[in-house]
Amino acid sequence: MPERNLRIFLVMAVAIVAAVLAVALVTRPGPRPPATGAAELVPGDALLYIHVSTDTSRPGVQQALRVAQRLPDFPLAAAAVSSRLGPILTGTRGATIDFASQVEPWLGREVGFALLNTPTSTAGSLIVIDVRNRAKAMSFLQGAGIVPLATYHGISLMRYPSGTTAAFVRHYLVLGQRASLRAAIDAAARRIQPLSANPAYRQAAAGEPDDRFLDAYISVAGIRRVLAPQGGLLGALAVLLYQPALSGTTVAVSAASGGLRVRIHGALDPTLVRLSGRGGPSFTPTLASVMPEGTTLLLDVDGLNRVAGRVLTAGAQGGIAGRVGPLLRRLGAALASEGVDVAQVTSIFSGETAGAVSPPGAQAAGGAARGPALLIVARTKHQEATRRLLAGVEAPLARLFPPPSSGAGQVPEFNDVPVAGVTVHQLALASGLALDYAVFRGLVAVSTSLQAIAGVARHARSLADDPAYQAVVGGSDRVTSLVFLDFNQLLSLAEQTGLARSSRLTALTPDLRKIRAIGLASTRGENDTTAELFLQIS
């Protein structure tokens, strides 16, 4: 073969091999996504929609079951779900069913639950169950006493003795109030917009991972009407989810070998984004590398002074540190009355700032074990200016904490204390109560504990070196916020302080103990926000 022809042949051969490899990579089977047709039967203005994949042939569902089986109370939880299904599927309060023999033979690949928007203060409810064997499903319903009721657009409606109505729509069994069923039938026929065609839902659901086993959607109206009034953790979630430009949010849960991944994706209205601004800037988180190893909780943001109010409000809704926000507002007003430019002082924390709970167990001067302390660390480009700003607050702050007019007391005073080669300025307010700060190596650190600042100054091993931190948030690049929780330590702290003494939390403790750490990294696009949450489960 001539040399020229040989070169042409080799080039063609390489091109063919490259094309084959490209096709192989493109067509390589990835995770199989769940069936999602149930959303076609849900009205488009639904307040809340929860969707579960029941297709046990999917690896995503199999992996979820493996993770669930690590939890000590999983068998009890599974039994509780089965017992709740009894009244729902039979329409009889207190009814029990054998899931394996009565439901599994006809259950299909997905189940959806929706709360529907109504003109009244009470939301409608709708359950959509994929059916793979209609004859067996009908036999089950007849055994529960269901009888024909009426027809709606040619579809037979049935009624349980309890009053709940049901119908077969396409290959789905739908249950709910009569108005809810009519809405589902209209959505399926596209007489009204189904959720699957709602632009806000479609935008919020874009990019959901194919290996998810559970996903949920909540509209802005749902946040206001369903989550916010609940208070507690749901109320806190409403505060964190809501933003002025939001049009809808999805939550997708996937199982991984090390735990659970949760993706929270918010769709933003482009017009409202232009009016309200783009929100917090993206940054590369770096402060975990200066926080001491063993730090229990870390919140790393660009501009703590901008987000602190929202975080504290969410905490108060969730029953955590509810008095801190009002206390800080009163303190700010008091300092302003003393002539302090509070906005200028808080601007110290307008760049990358981390709020943390420092490691517990450090030894105090008397040898007693210290508890955890609050620690705030920010980067500063102007150390001298930062020192002058903080020094200007010392005297006004001391005047706000006068000693008691009678009896034993302590006159507030600032002292300079050398710790780990750093000079820490300490305001002793009362016995066992002090506020400390130091400016060094391009950092400003404020804490309720000298030992916490010493941990930053010594910098022996950092939080970034912690395997748990690496497992849940390691490698996060450009983010709008980053959160790390050493969940085991936090749970122990809650038990020690009495925060975990409720009967409900006590019952969950064996399962909560399996959660080693939690990490969250949030990002923002032009018209969306995404938070990636990972729970490390042992």
Side-chain angles (χ1 to χ4, degrees):
M1 181 181 293
E3 183 178 346
R4 181 173 178 276
N5 291 345
L6 178 61
R7 288 200 302 271
I8 294 173
F9 173 79
L10 290 174
V11 169
M12 291 178 63
V14 169
I16 292 171
V17 170
V20 170
L21 288 174
V23 171
L25 289 173
V26 170
T27 59
R28 178 182 296 169
R32 179 151 54 96
T36 58
E40 298 177 9
L41 280 66
V42 176
D45 62 348
L47 303 174
L48 173 69
Y49 175 61
I50 299 173
H51 176 260
V52 180
S53 175
T54 54
D55 184 356
T56 55
S57 69
R58 291 183 59 234
V61 174
Q62 295 167 1
Q63 180 65 39
L65 290 172
R66 285 193 290 270
V67 172
Q69 286 163 359
R70 299 180 198 170
L71 305 176
D73 289 332
F74 173 68
L76 293 176
V81 170
S82 182
S83 68
R84 290 194 173 231
L85 282 174
I88 292 172
L89 294 178
T90 64
T92 304
R93 181 176 298 178
T96 60
I97 58 172
D98 182 80
F99 186 82
S101 64
Q102 294 180 272
V103 178
E104 280 189 10
W106 56 266
L107 178 65
R109 300 179 298 166
E110 58 177 322
V111 174
F113 169 78
L115 291 179
L116 307 185
N117 200 6
T118 67
T120 68
S121 59
T122 303
S125 61
L126 181 71
I127 299 173
V128 183
I129 305 173
D130 183 27
V131 174
R132 61 187 173 94
N133 190 313
R134 182 163 173 168
K136 290 182 178 179
M138 189 65 204
S139 176
F140 172 81
L141 295 177
Q142 290 171 339
I146 204 163
V147 295
L149 175 63
T151 60
Y152 182 73
H153 286 288
I155 293 179
S156 299
L157 304 183
M158 300 171 286
R159 183 181 184 276
Y160 284 107
S162 64
T164 300
T165 54
F168 287 102
V169 184
R170 299 181 185 173
H171 54 91
Y172 295 95
L173 171 65
V174 292
L175 303 98
Q177 298 88 2
R178 192 168 178 175
S180 299
L181 262 65
R182 289 197 296 262
I185 294 169
D186 286 339
R190 295 295 180 110
R191 285 186 288 271
I192 62 173
Q193 185 188 62
L195 185 63
S196 59
N198 181 332
Y201 170 78
R202 291 171 66 89
Q203 184 186 354
E208 285 186 315
D210 286 344
D211 62 351
R212 67 191 184 277
F213 66 90
L214 182 148
D215 53 87
Y217 166 76
I218 186 162
S219 66
V220 175
I223 291 175
R224 296 192 186 116
R225 291 186 58 184
V226 179
L227 293 187
Q230 301 300 318
L233 292 178
L234 292 178
L237 181 61
V239 173
L240 293 175
L241 288 179
Y242 180 75
Q243 48 188 308
L246 186 71
S247 58
T249 299
T250 55
V251 179
V253 185
S254 306
S257 58
L260 292 176
R261 294 193 313 275
V262 182
R263 178 182 184 265
I264 305 169
H265 185 238
L268 306 179
D269 184 303
T271 302
L272 294 178
V273 168
R274 289 192 293 271
L275 293 175
S276 62
R278 284 187 50 81
S282 297
F283 69 102
T284 300
T286 63
L287 288 175
S289 63
V290 303
M291 292 295 183
E293 185 180 40
T295 294
T296 305
L297 181 150
L298 172 76
L299 167 63
D300 194 349
V301 296
D302 189 285
L304 183 62
N305 58 334
R306 293 190 297 271
V307 305
R310 188 177 179 187
V311 172
L312 289 172
T313 300
Q317 284 281 352
I320 301 172
R323 298 180 180 178
V324 173
L327 177 62
L328 290 177
R329 285 191 288 272
R330 288 198 298 271
L331 179 60
L335 287 173
S337 69
E338 292 284 340
V340 175
D341 187 338
V342 176
Q344 189 177 25
V345 173
T346 58
S347 70
I348 293 171
F349 308 105
S350 61
E352 185 188 0
T353 308
V357 175
S358 71
Q363 297 297 309
R370 300 183 65 97
L374 178 64
L375 171 65
I376 299 174
V377 177
R379 294 203 178 274
T380 177
K381 296 179 180 178
H382 310 286
Q383 291 194 171
E384 288 307 316
T386 300
R387 286 193 182 98
R388 288 195 298 271
L389 269 176
L390 291 173
V393 180
E394 292 182 8
L397 189 59
R399 288 196 293 271
L400 296 179
F401 294 91
S405 56
S406 61
Q410 178 176 330
V411 177
E413 60 177 349
F414 265 100
N415 300 303
D416 290 345
V417 183
V419 176
V422 170
T423 299
V424 179
H425 304 276
Q426 182 179 66
L427 173 60
L429 299 172
S431 177
L433 177 62
L435 181 66
D436 312 300
Y437 79 88
V439 183
F440 59 97
R441 297 199 295 271
L443 301 171
V444 53
V446 181
S447 181
T448 56
S449 164
L450 283 171
Q451 297 300 321
I453 296 179
V456 176
R458 291 193 184 99
H459 197 232
R461 282 183 60 83
S462 71
L463 175 62
D465 300 319
D466 189 323
Y469 178 89
Q470 287 294 327
V472 296
V473 291
S476 298
D477 187 12
R478 301 291 296 178
V479 302
T480 53
S481 65
L482 183 144
V483 178
F484 168 77
L485 295 85
D486 186 323
F487 196 77
N488 273 181
Q489 283 200 59
L490 281 177
L491 187 59
S492 296
L493 176 62
E495 291 171 339
Q496 293 166 13
T497 56
L499 295 176
R501 289 178 184 168
S502 71
S503 57
R504 180 176 298 180
L505 197 57
T506 301
L508 291 173
T509 296
D511 296 315
L512 295 177
R513 285 282 180 203
K514 302 294 288 185
I515 302 175
R516 170 66 183 86
I518 300 175
L520 181 145
S522 65
T523 57
R524 180 166 177 141
E526 184 176 354
N527 293 315
D528 68 341
T529 61
T530 305
E532 299 282 352
L533 178 72
F534 187 80
L535 286 76
Q536 185 185 33
I537 298 176
S538 59

